[in-house]
């Protein structure tokens, strides 16, 4: 699981969490907060992509066939 988190969050951010002096419980809270933030960003990006797709199909001009 630790390797999965390191790959998911990037080694730089994960290394920063490991270098800060904190208890294991606080470290887990920080990792959970990063995971939650990542999920929120993914959801926002997904929603914005869906809105963009919907808007492009809504305002798409019909093609003129020759």
């Amino acid at each position: 699981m630790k390797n999965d988190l390191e790959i998911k969050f990037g080694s730089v951010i994960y290394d920063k969490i490991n270098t800060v002096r904190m208890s294991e419980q606080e470290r887990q809270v920080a990792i959970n907060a990063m995971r939650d933030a990542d999920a929120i960003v993914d959801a926002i990006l997904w929603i914005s992509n869906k809105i963009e797709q919907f808007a492009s199909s809504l305002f798409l001009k019909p093609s003129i066939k020759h």
Side-chain angles (χ1 to χ4, degrees):
M1 172 104 180
K2 187 173 181 179
N3 289 336
D4 291 341
L5 290 173
E6 187 173 346
I7 290 168
K8 176 117 176 130
F9 296 128
S11 60
V12 174
I13 296 172
Y14 196 77
D15 288 341
K16 287 186 185 245
I17 289 176
N18 283 332
T19 58
V20 175
R21 295 180 89 176
M22 64 176 81
S23 68
E24 189 59 36
Q25 182 182 11
E26 291 172 331
R27 192 175 318 280
Q28 191 60 41
V29 168
I31 290 172
N32 288 341
M34 285 179 47
R35 187 187 66 222
D36 293 346
D38 187 43
I40 290 169
V41 168
D42 285 344
I44 290 171
L45 287 174
W46 184 84
I47 290 170
S48 67
N49 286 336
K50 290 301 177 182
I51 290 172
E52 183 180 332
Q53 288 174 358
F54 177 72
S56 68
S57 68
L58 186 63
F59 298 112
L60 185 64
K61 295 180 181 178
S63 63
I64 300 173
K65 295 184 179 180
H66 295 280

